[in-house]
Amino acid sequence: MAQKDTVKSILNAAEELFSERGFAETSLRNITTKAGVNLAAVNYHFGSKKALIQAVFARFLTPFCDDLEHELDAVQAQLEGRVPALPGLLMLLSQTALRAGHDSPRRLGIFMRLLGLAYTQGQGHLRRFLQKEYGPVFKTFMRLVTAATPELSDEDRFWRIHFMLGATVFTLSGADSLTAMAEHDLGKGSDIAQVVDKLIPFLASGLNAPHQAD
Amino acid sequence: MAQKDTVKSILNAAEELFSERGFAETSLRNITTKAGVNLAAVNYHFGSKKALIQAVFARFLTPFCDDLEHELDAVQAQLEGRVPALPGLLMLLSQTALRAGHDSPRRLGIFMRLLGLAYTQGQGHLRRFLQKEYGPVFKTFMRLVTAATPELSDEDRFWRIHFMLGATVFTLSGADSLTAMAEHDLGKGSDIAQVVDKLIPFLASGLNAPHQAD
DNA sequence: TCTCGTTTTAAACGTATGTTTGAAACAGTT
DNA sequence: AACTGTTTCAAACATACGTTTAAAACGAGA
């Protein structure tokens, strides 16, 4: 059982430290110290730092995407040709995501921060890895969203989907500091599930906005 | 004139490299090589790498914020107590931003990517610098947005502002690769000004969404 | 032309990083 | 109890980084 514990400790420490400081700013010594294991353990169990980064993503993303794929299949079966409703699709996605951070809801924020880093930080190997590994499920989801928004032009839909993605990743990845700000400014904090609840009407309304500004 | 050229070359190279790879992944040797100057020039002219990072932000942000401040003053004078219109405020912000990348519109994308990095990447010194230096103009803008959306609760407005910020930063910072994707998927690319045009109705509609999802 | 403050240069410094190594500790099997 | 494959460990390795240094090159004013 020693191996399992070491591997898991490393993944836990890496996940947290990466999300706090980024990939390049987090050294293997930081990680192994926090995990309470020897420095060489990372290269022994994962092979390299790059492979460790990918493993951190895979541990979260693989169960999430499997779960999502299953849910999407169920939706498609239930529809039998009818068009899906957009808010339902968004809620299904968010609920699946919240479920994926099964330990604590905080983990979703941590992972969103990682996802943001994956796109902003260099790490070309990571983008390629994520694309190859988890691209298909995303395509399926996109197909359903397309069916749910038949009145949108392909162009508007394309851009608005990315506007939604940006709002989500940015907000949830900064959820910790943002709820702290909210608590300070408004005297009212929120947990991440409440933020998601606030996000959904915003996204749904933005996606269905009229083509031109009023 | 030698100093001016060296300083400007360094800033140009740093701006581009930082936006491509992030701060920690870009070495001073990368920067000075690309700029065609000696390695020591950065420490001579800027003092440290941290100071160079701040200088890159200041070169873009100082003219932009001065311009924005001026524009906001004009709006407030013209209003004389009446409530401002939200789409107008958003367009004013985006037009000012587009104007700030006066050399090429591509520069706005580069800078948005830097702004995203500033928030995701560790760099506590940067957040503090930006807050101290450019916080007040942001507060002024926020006051006008608050006046333009009297029907929103403080809580909803707070969160939706950050949803908007996220959609904007994320999309514009990835504008290069996103327009490439759009070209590939739809056979129709866009420049950054067109993306901004598409963004505004999305944001305005999201901000004014009903409180609960339908 | 000489001078003095500024700028550039090549080289070195100290430190931190990812990775490798070879021996020690361990756990399960015969 | 002895053997075997796996895992841990302390130490070292090579490399890359930001920064410093001291000398050289430069440019404008006397």
Side-chain angles (χ1 to χ4, degrees):
Chain A
M1 291 302 102
Q3 165 167 9
K4 280 279 169 63
D5 278 8
T6 299
V7 169
K8 196 181 284 186
S9 304
I10 292 174
L11 285 173
N12 287 339
E15 179 176 288
E16 192 138 347
L17 289 176
F18 282 152
S19 83
E20 285 170 8
R21 320 183 191 180
F23 302 114
E25 296 88 342
T26 304
S27 71
L28 295 186
R29 285 168 177 83
N30 293 151
I31 294 169
T32 51
T33 299
K34 172 157 189 161
V37 304
N38 186 272
L39 166 62
V42 168
N43 285 280
Y44 176 75
H45 286 288
F46 296 92
S48 69
K49 187 181 181 180
K50 281 185 182 181
L52 170 62
I53 294 175
Q54 296 184 0
V56 167
F57 277 83
R59 180 169 68 145
F60 187 100
L61 234 34
T62 299
F64 166 73
C65 282
D66 290 352
D67 190 1
L68 181 62
E69 197 165 18
H70 184 267
E71 296 278 356
L72 291 180
D73 286 349
V75 166
Q76 273 174 313
Q78 203 175 349
L79 280 176
E80 300 204 359
R82 294 195 308 277
V83 297
L86 181 68
L89 281 178
L90 297 182
M91 290 191 60
L92 185 139
L93 184 64
S94 66
Q95 291 305 314
T96 308
L98 284 170
R99 213 180 312 133
H102 53 293
D103 302 341
S104 77
R106 183 168 157 271
R107 228 188 127 211
L108 181 58
I110 290 179
F111 187 75
M112 280 289 166
R113 198 149 43 238
L114 290 177
L115 212 56
L117 285 176
Y119 274 81
T120 57
Q121 212 132 335
Q123 305 296 346
H125 72 98
L126 227 185
R127 272 204 294 275
R128 266 173 271 130
F129 169 76
L130 296 176
Q131 180 94 3
K132 291 275 175 204
E133 211 72 15
Y134 307 104
V137 193
F138 181 69
K139 293 256 182 195
T140 304
F141 182 76
M142 276 296 293
R143 214 171 7 246
L144 282 167
V145 170
T146 301
T149 54
E151 71 287 354
L152 281 182
S153 71
D154 284 352
E155 201 187 353
D156 278 348
R157 187 186 305 108
F158 172 88
W159 284 107
R160 290 179 181 185
I161 288 283
H162 284 94
F163 299 157
M164 293 167 61
L165 187 62
T168 306
V169 170
F170 183 89
T171 317
L172 295 190
S173 72
D176 285 0
S177 41
L178 287 177
T179 53
M181 263 178 75
E183 181 117 32
H184 175 268
D185 291 4
L186 320 164
K188 201 172 181 185
S190 315
D191 71 8
I192 207 161
Q194 292 173 293
V195 177
V196 171
D197 282 346
K198 292 195 172 303
L199 190 51
I200 288 181
F202 176 92
L203 298 179
S205 174
L207 187 57
N208 286 317
H211 178 72
Q212 275 287 22
D214 46 347
Chain B
M1 290 298 103
Q3 165 165 9
K4 279 279 167 64
D5 278 7
T6 299
V7 168
K8 196 181 281 187
S9 305
I10 292 174
L11 285 173
N12 287 340
E15 179 176 288
E16 192 138 347
L17 290 176
F18 283 153
S19 83
E20 285 170 7
R21 322 182 189 177
F23 304 114
E25 295 88 341
T26 304
S27 69
L28 294 186
R29 286 168 176 84
N30 293 151
I31 295 170
T32 52
T33 299
K34 172 158 190 161
V37 304
N38 186 271
L39 166 62
V42 168
N43 285 280
Y44 176 75
H45 287 288
F46 297 92
S48 70
K49 188 181 181 181
K50 282 185 182 180
L52 169 62
I53 294 175
Q54 297 183 0
V56 168
F57 277 82
R59 180 169 67 145
F60 188 100
L61 233 34
T62 298
F64 166 73
C65 281
D66 289 352
D67 191 1
L68 181 62
E69 197 165 19
H70 184 267
E71 295 278 355
L72 291 180
D73 286 349
V75 166
Q76 273 175 312
Q78 203 174 351
L79 280 176
E80 300 205 359
R82 295 195 307 277
V83 295
L86 181 67
L89 281 178
L90 297 183
M91 290 190 59
L92 184 138
L93 184 64
S94 67
Q95 291 306 315
T96 308
L98 284 170
R99 212 179 314 134
H102 53 290
D103 301 342
S104 77
R106 182 168 160 270
R107 229 188 126 211
L108 181 59
I110 291 180
F111 188 74
M112 280 289 165
R113 198 149 45 240
L114 290 178
L115 211 55
L117 285 176
Y119 273 81
T120 58
Q121 211 134 333
Q123 307 295 349
H125 73 96
L126 227 184
R127 272 203 294 276
R128 266 172 272 128
F129 169 75
L130 296 176
Q131 180 93 4
K132 291 276 174 201
E133 211 71 14
Y134 307 105
V137 192
F138 181 69
K139 293 258 181 192
T140 303
F141 183 76
M142 277 295 295
R143 218 177 355 252
L144 282 167
V145 171
T146 302
T149 55
E151 71 287 355
L152 282 181
S153 70
D154 285 351
E155 202 186 353
D156 278 347
R157 186 185 305 109
F158 172 88
W159 285 107
R160 289 179 182 186
I161 288 284
H162 284 95
F163 300 156
M164 293 166 60
L165 188 62
T168 306
V169 170
F170 182 90
T171 317
L172 296 192
S173 71
D176 285 0
S177 41
L178 286 177
T179 53
M181 265 179 74
E183 181 116 33
H184 176 267
D185 292 5
L186 318 165
K188 201 173 180 184
S190 316
D191 71 8
I192 208 162
Q194 291 174 293
V195 177
V196 171
D197 282 347
K198 293 193 172 303
L199 189 51
I200 288 179
F202 176 92
L203 298 179
S205 175
L207 186 57
N208 285 318
H211 179 71
Q212 276 286 20
D214 46 346

